[in-house]
Amino acid sequence: MEVLNDLVGYKNMKIYQNTDWFSFSLDSVLLPNFVTLRKNVKNIIDLGTGNAPIPLILTTRTDAKITAVEIQKDVYELAKKTVELNKLDDRIELLNMDILDLKNIYESDSFDVVVSNPPYFKLNESSNVNDDIHKIIARHEKCLNLEQLAYMAKYLLKNNGVFAMVHRTDRLIEIINVLSKNNLQVKKIRFIYPKKNTESNMVLVEATKNGNVGLKLLPPLYVHDEDGNYTEEVLKYFE
């Protein structure tokens, strides 16, 4: 069912969602607030934008031009309606295409920043997948895997450009190895925990193309307090 909601934390923004497919999660709120946006940033691209929550939030942090790519036509149409409703057509350009085909329309070194909230799970014969194709593509590496994502980030980024992503903590070593193989030097990591005294389940990672060695580990981010309520930091994103 298609619904129109307020974009969390942004009273003047609305977002179209289809509750039968998936709804954007806290991950898509944390990532655009985590990524480093330098003053000279002019071009940003969001790979696998879904219904475009990340580009919407980024418009509140930067005046840069934002390109958002989504492979699923009906999800792309939701994003398009959202961008038009918020009168952000001049700020956000939407592309309905396979991320791997971006090489056909962009030269290498075209963007200052690449962001992505990609599928988290490998897809194999033993994968426990949902029957709905929208959820399969959003959650599992059916159309884009980690290696392909890193390769495209490297291709699209200018030298010293920034790549930021959110992913599962249990794949962090793989993520660092794959990024390094693609000349993306990890510079900033922040672990996300459901609450204190639990294991981290999500991680925010930022890397620079051909960057110097030097890693900054940020303080942990706790989503819930002991009573199960959102922590003060997370609530700031929902104000």
Side-chain angles (χ1 to χ4, degrees), residues 10-90:
Y10 303 89
K11 296 177 182 176
N12 298 323
M13 285 191 182
K14 303 283 186 179
I15 188 166
Y16 281 102
Q17 304 197 85
N18 190 308
T19 54
D20 296 328
W21 302 343
F22 57 85
S23 298
F24 76 88
S25 61
L26 180 63
D27 313 348
S28 293
V29 177
L30 298 178
L31 179 59
N33 285 290
F34 166 80
V35 62
T36 300
L37 299 177
R38 302 169 185 144
K39 289 183 179 180
N40 61 346
V41 167
K42 295 180 180 177
N43 295 295
I44 300 173
I45 189 165
D46 178 24
L47 303 179
T49 197
N51 53 341
I54 291 173
L56 291 182
I57 295 171
L58 285 174
T59 63
T60 69
R61 293 194 58 207
T62 177
D63 293 327
K65 174 74 180 293
I66 302 166
T67 303
V69 188
E70 173 54 46
I71 192 170
Q72 300 184 80
K73 178 69 172 176
D74 41 11
V75 180
Y76 159 83
E77 294 293 347
L78 271 188
K80 190 175 179 183
K81 285 177 65 174
T82 292
V83 170
E84 290 173 351
L85 179 68
N86 290 288
K87 297 181 171 56
L88 290 169
D89 316 55
D90 59 331

Side-chain angles (χ1 to χ4, degrees), residues 147-169:
E147 289 80 4
Q148 292 167 329
L149 173 62
Y151 172 77
M152 287 308 302
K154 172 190 174 183
Y155 175 84
L156 293 166
L157 275 177
K158 297 175 182 176
N159 198 41
N160 287 316
V162 171
F163 172 56
M165 68 188 302
V166 57
H167 215 293
R168 288 187 58 82
T169 305

